[in-house]
Amino acid sequence: MAKIPPGVGPKYPQIVVLVGATGDLSKRKLLPGLFHLATAGFIPGCRIIGLSLDNIDADGFRAIAREALDEFSSRPVHEADWAAFAEALDYVPMAAGPKVLRAAVEKAERAFSGETRRVHYLSVPPVAALAVVRLLADAGIVERSRIIMEKPFGTDLASAVSLNAQLHEVFSEDQIFRIDHFLGKEPAQNILAFRFANGLFEPIWNRNFIDHVQIDVPETLGLGQRAGFYEAIGAYRDMVVTHLFQILAFMAMESPTSLEPKPISEEKNKVFRSMTPIDPKNVVRGQYIGYRSEEGVDPESETETFIALKCAIDNWRWAGVPFFLRTGKRMAEGQRIISIAFREPPKSMFPAGSGVGAQGPDHLTFDLADASKMSLSFYGKRPGPGMRLDKLSLQFAMRDTGLIGDVLEAYERLILDAMRGDHTLFTTAEGIERLWEVSIPVLEAPPPVRLYAPGSWGPKSVHQLVAPHAWRLPFERAWRDPNGTGE
């Protein structure tokens, strides 16, 4: 196991109150993530108190945790590590009330001789969040604590403002961490390194050289057990406000004065303040065929399972550059990419039939999967007589470095940052409220839902939205494989 660098973890032992501890997110991501952070040495000490509606005891919670690790952990579970982790688990049913919860937290804190800090992770539906916040307040465990909130944070401007106001009655803004797991991914953070650590690209990262930008996150998955939640939320609220706009801010922000949380948050918020309201004419909403027959879905539902839109950032750097965003369920491929299309140069010197321009502009593409990849495409001369050009590419993959094993999964990174009090990858109250503000036109007058076939790339009208450009996905050339074949 790689040695943990000093300063990457919190200073004090952590008491984690995991609300929704028996739910799907907890099993898939949070418990395996906490297990890795605790056993790999990122945290100087950790006790976890599960809290949910299930009427089980600590042993029952340990059994759930072990099943979750066996099924979902991406790393081997060694018995000695499990024994230590299991001993650190406790459980309180929600019905037991605030006094029992406080007693469990105090018991966990007595396991450590010095100072401790508390982290409350709310893995609950948004409608239940405030009730949990009141429970934490009644239990008197707000002091020395941080609270991690799951998306969506509100469903419109009014609900976001109300939620922030009620949340601030209990927690200060610097205690609140609104999580977006997309920003916890290594490639998202690599955008900052790529832009600001290299003199080659930052000078051309503007409207003079960039023609348009695409952020494309199609999913092959359907709803699973989330039909009730999704029917009330839809793709725009579920994905665009909480994920795609956040990625857009990392890509479009000005250089911060330092890589500290406050300067980075301020530059992201400047991007949000510069965004123009989303015009419904620049939005395509879709619904996959068969959605309305799924359990828990209204047979006449107008909820979108697909959304594509064009938005603009009205500032000096990006004026006139369109940003195209797309995401949807049950689509042809599961991808997460940012694709930056550069302006094409004058081509009058090249003979007719040379191939220049035939395959579109040069692109810089970031793959936002956990195993980070990026590609820069360009035209180059085909060997042989005459001037024939082909599209070529330079590619990098995290696996090339031999450090792929050091990559923290998104939730692991974000939980660790919250424990450290680092807000860099989290959303502020100002930022989320501004995003709901620019969303008002499309939420108040949404365009009609258009049907699309499962396994497709969405409604056909998405091509009119992006014209005269073309969607980068599906790729004409695949990423190179580890053996060096393909693009």
Side-chain angles (χ1 to χ4, degrees):
M1 182 178 297
K3 183 179 179 182
I4 307 303
V8 300
K11 182 178 179 181
Y12 302 106
Q14 304 288 310
I15 310 301
V16 179
V17 177
L18 183 54
V19 188
T22 60
D24 185 65
L25 177 63
S26 177
K27 294 174 183 176
R28 288 179 176 272
K29 296 294 184 181
L30 306 183
L31 286 168
L34 287 166
F35 174 78
H36 178 238
L37 293 177
T39 57
F42 285 97
I43 311 171
C46 182
R47 312 285 289 191
I48 300 167
I49 301 163
L51 184 69
S52 80
L53 296 174
D54 292 313
N55 187 24
I56 57 176
D57 59 12
D59 285 337
F61 180 45
R62 292 185 184 104
I64 289 172
R66 182 58 199 250
E67 290 175 5
L69 293 179
D70 289 341
E71 185 172 358
F72 299 114
S73 177
S74 60
R75 305 174 180 91
V77 178
H78 301 294
E79 289 306 316
D81 291 337
W82 163 250
F85 186 72
E87 188 177 333
L89 298 178
D90 197 1
Y91 184 84
V92 174
M94 195 80 76
K99 290 184 178 179
V100 176
L101 176 59
R102 180 180 179 86
V105 169
E106 291 176 341
K107 176 185 175 184
E109 289 174 334
R110 287 194 296 270
F112 304 102
S113 56
E115 285 189 60
T116 60
R117 296 291 185 268
R118 303 159 179 164
V119 173
H120 310 305
Y121 197 117
L122 272 59
S123 178
V124 296
V127 294
L130 286 175
V132 174
V133 169
R134 287 190 289 271
L135 173 64
L136 299 174
D138 292 343
I141 53 175
V142 172
E143 186 183 5
R144 292 182 288 109
S145 75
R146 293 164 178 136
I147 183 169
I148 302 176
M149 309 283 292
E150 274 289 335
K151 57 108 176 169
F153 200 84
T155 56
D156 54 21
L157 178 60
S159 62
V161 169
S162 175
L163 182 55
N164 277 325
Q166 294 181 72
L167 193 56
H168 287 152
E169 291 175 4
V170 179
F171 292 93
S172 62
E173 180 64 18
D174 64 358
Q175 290 179 288
I176 302 167
F177 292 78
R178 301 168 186 84
I179 198 166
D180 172 16
H181 71 271
F182 272 45
L183 293 189
K185 293 180 177 295
E186 199 74 31
Q189 301 157 60
N190 207 23
I191 294 170
L192 297 182
F194 189 87
R195 286 187 59 190
F196 301 128
N198 299 297
L200 178 61
F201 286 100
E202 182 55 24
I204 62 171
W205 209 266
N206 56 58
R207 59 188 171 86
N208 296 322
F209 298 94
I210 292 177
D211 185 75
H212 66 278
V213 177
Q214 294 180 26
I215 302 175
D216 210 351
V217 187
E219 298 180 290
T220 57
L221 298 175
L223 301 184
Q225 304 300 314
R226 301 173 69 230
F229 162 81
Y230 203 86
E231 177 67 1
I233 298 296
Y236 186 87
R237 291 177 170 91
D238 184 43
M239 290 290 292
V240 176
V241 175
T242 51
H243 291 324
L244 274 61
F245 281 160
Q246 304 301 324
I247 293 292
L248 182 151
F250 260 31
M251 186 270 155
M253 63 187 271
E254 298 294 329
S255 61
T257 54
S258 68
L259 285 178
E260 296 294 323
K262 286 186 178 179
I264 289 177
S265 291
E266 175 57 20
E267 295 304 333
K268 286 174 58 186
N269 286 341
K270 286 181 183 177
V271 173
F272 299 148
R273 290 196 291 269
S274 299
M275 288 177 64
T276 57
I278 307 301
D279 188 337
K281 295 196 297 291
N282 293 327
V283 177
V284 174
R285 295 169 71 236
Q287 185 186 94
Y288 65 78
I289 297 170
Y291 171 78
R292 294 176 182 175
S293 62
E294 296 201 15
E295 185 177 353
V297 173
D298 184 343
E300 299 181 357
S301 174
E302 292 294 310
T303 299
E304 78 278 357
T305 62
F306 171 97
I307 192 88
L309 60 102
K310 178 171 70 172
C311 62
I313 301 172
D314 189 20
N315 63 15
W316 190 267
R317 182 182 291 262
W318 296 114
V321 177
F323 287 75
F324 298 100
L325 282 57
R326 177 174 66 168
T327 185
K329 300 288 188 185
R330 299 289 302 277
M331 296 185 68
E333 294 179 21
Q335 295 275 1
R336 295 170 179 175
I337 70 156
I338 302 175
S339 193
I340 298 154
F342 293 101
R343 294 193 182 278
E344 297 188 67
K347 300 183 286 293
S348 58
M349 69 186 74
F350 293 98
S354 66
V356 68
Q359 298 182 56
D362 300 338
H363 282 86
L364 175 64
T365 302
F366 294 88
D367 185 333
L368 299 182
D370 287 318
S372 170
K373 291 181 290 195
M374 64 182 70
S375 171
L376 177 62
S377 68
F378 55 92
Y379 283 101
K381 182 183 178 300
R382 182 185 299 177
M387 182 60 72
R388 289 285 297 164
L389 303 182
D390 288 326
K391 203 73 166 185
L392 309 173
S393 69
L394 298 172
Q395 294 192 10
F396 161 81
M398 186 63 70
R399 63 172 179 263
D400 298 336
T401 67
L403 299 175
I404 190 71
D406 292 348
V407 174
L408 286 178
E409 293 188 356
Y411 280 99
E412 295 173 353
R413 169 64 191 265
L414 293 169
I415 291 171
L416 193 64
D417 281 358
M419 289 176 172
R420 296 170 56 233
D422 186 339
H423 279 86
T424 302
L425 302 177
F426 296 86
T427 309
T428 65
E430 176 191 341
I432 200 71
E433 289 177 13
R434 172 57 183 165
L435 291 175
W436 285 121
E437 185 179 4
V438 302
S439 301
I440 288 174
V442 72
L443 294 179
E444 290 186 344
V449 166
R450 302 178 185 275
L451 298 179
Y452 65 96
S456 71
W457 286 99
K460 289 182 171 50
S461 50
V462 297
H463 301 295
Q464 298 167 354
L465 175 71
V466 79
H469 315 295
W471 288 103
R472 184 74 167 136
L473 287 176
F475 286 130
E476 292 181 5
R477 295 168 299 280
W479 291 94
R480 287 197 188 100
D481 65 27
N483 299 316
T485 60
E487 190 207 21

